[in-house]
Amino acid sequence: MANGLGAKVLGLIPRHQEIVARILGPSFAEPLTLLIGLSEIAMGLWILKEKHKKVTAAIQIGIVLTMNLLETFLARDLLLWGPWNLLFALLFCGVVFYHGFVLKASDHVTP
């Protein structure tokens, strides 16, 4: 949610719009970056609801992998960690998979 709001909706990290411009074209970069940011915020709120955890995790993994593969092959020079971004995305997807498919509600620690 923070990345969608700060980097994309508020435009605090212009590199994100440059990546979108590289992949989808400069004329669409501004509105699509905003749309991507709003979608990330919506996904974050959906995740926080913790309903349909497996479906949510599968969709999140699919989106993260698709986005990072496109960025790696089409805009690697604009990425914060270059080709290493894909490794971090894979690690993140592993965490999402574990949370969505392995952990059970009884495994969660509640205060």
Side-chain angles (χ1 to χ4, degrees):
M1 286 176 36
N3 195 38
L5 177 63
K8 295 176 183 84
V9 173
L10 298 176
L12 299 177
I13 304 175
R15 179 175 40 82
H16 287 270
Q17 189 167 322
E18 292 174 32
I19 293 168
V20 173
R22 173 84 55 86
I23 296 171
L24 300 171
S27 60
F28 300 109
E30 188 174 349
L32 287 178
T33 303
L34 176 64
L35 184 61
I36 292 167
L38 292 172
S39 298
E40 288 178 351
I41 293 168
M43 176 64 88
L45 293 171
W46 183 17
I47 291 165
L48 289 175
K49 287 180 72 171
E50 291 198 3
K51 290 192 177 195
H52 312 291
K53 283 179 63 171
K54 290 181 181 182
V55 172
T56 305
I59 291 171
Q60 186 178 14
I61 289 168
I63 290 170
V64 168
L65 288 178
T66 300
M67 177 184 69
N68 278 276
L69 284 168
L70 285 169
E71 292 172 348
T72 297
F73 290 109
L74 301 174
R76 181 179 301 177
D77 59 308
L78 297 173
L79 299 176
L80 186 59
W81 298 297
W84 292 99
N85 264 43
L86 188 56
L87 174 64
F88 293 123
L90 289 170
L91 292 171
F92 175 73
C93 288
V95 171
V96 171
F97 179 85
Y98 183 77
H99 184 266
F101 291 93
V102 177
L103 279 182
K104 298 184 181 3
S106 61
D107 295 335
H108 290 246
V109 177
T110 55

